[in-house]
Amino acid sequence: MSNTNGNTQSVKIVTADPGGLGLFGLAMVTLVASSQKLGWTTGLAFVIPWAVFLGAIAQLIASFNDFKHNNTFGATAFAAYGLFWLGIATSWLIKMGVFGAALAADVNGAQLGIAFIGYFIFTVFMTIGAMETHKVLFIIFFLIDFLFLGLAADAFGLGHIWHTIAAWAEFSIAIVSFYGSAAATLNTHFGKQFLPTGKPFGIFK
């Protein structure tokens, strides 16, 4: 912007780091969803609210604020996974007949398998990017690789072992994401490294 003297001035808007919220959203939804996959709980009805509000909305809020930080990597990751949870929650609702019997009867699980392959491809190159963030984030992406690989193979009926792999990968994502959320929040709050996250690998940068 320019002042009355014709000089250009820059205005800096300070935005808090949204990583703690985004990782908490990821931790909560994967914890609840993995409990169903592992057989600790049953049904999807009470998984859906966590998919929508924590998996989707919390990560989308984090994404919007990471865009303000000019953090392309974080913003893309949170947005992509937030939209994933909106997609999967809607898919569950269709399968449960919420949108009518005609849509429920037209469900083809292999189409979800194709979507999981797409997200697996996305997560692979994001895992490479995560190598230059910190090791906690890298571990989360590495586990998400196994989650989508397991989900895709299970959707194509390649054996129950893939369902088990996906379930434990998802539960592990929850645990590591809780730690990552705590580190992002408390390290910023205390202004020092309260919880270590590990240095970047330093391969590409």
Side-chain angles (χ1 to χ4, degrees), residues 73-108:
F73 182 85
T76 303
F78 282 133
Y81 294 126
L83 292 170
F84 166 81
W85 284 107
L86 280 181
I88 201 69
T90 304
S91 299
W92 289 336
L93 290 171
I94 291 171
K95 184 178 180 179
M96 294 165 69
V98 173
F99 299 113
L103 275 180
D106 198 38
V107 166
N108 183 341

Side-chain angles (χ1 to χ4, degrees), residues 6 9 33 38 45 50 74 80 110 113 122 125 141 148 156 160 170 174 182 191 200:
Q9 295 179 326
L38 290 166
W50 302 100
F122 171 77
F125 69 74
F141 278 97
F148 283 120
F156 291 124
H160 185 73
E170 191 168 42

Side-chain angles (χ1 to χ4, degrees), residues 136-180:
V136 170
L137 202 57
F138 169 78
I139 292 169
I140 291 171
F141 278 97
F142 185 73
L143 291 168
I144 296 175
D145 288 324
F146 279 94
L147 171 61
F148 283 120
L149 187 62
L151 288 174
D154 185 49
F156 291 124
L158 300 183
H160 185 73
I161 183 63
W162 291 105
H163 176 88
T164 303
I165 290 172
W168 282 108
E170 191 168 42
F171 179 74
S172 300
I173 291 164
I175 300 305
V176 181
S177 294
F178 274 121
Y179 180 88

Side-chain angles (χ1 to χ4, degrees), residues 3 27 43 60 63 65 67 71-72 95 119 134 141 145 164 170 175:
N3 59 20
L60 289 173
S63 171
N65 283 284
F67 276 120
N71 180 0
T72 301
K95 184 178 180 179
Y119 263 92
H134 55 71
F141 278 97
D145 288 324
T164 303
E170 191 168 42
I175 300 305

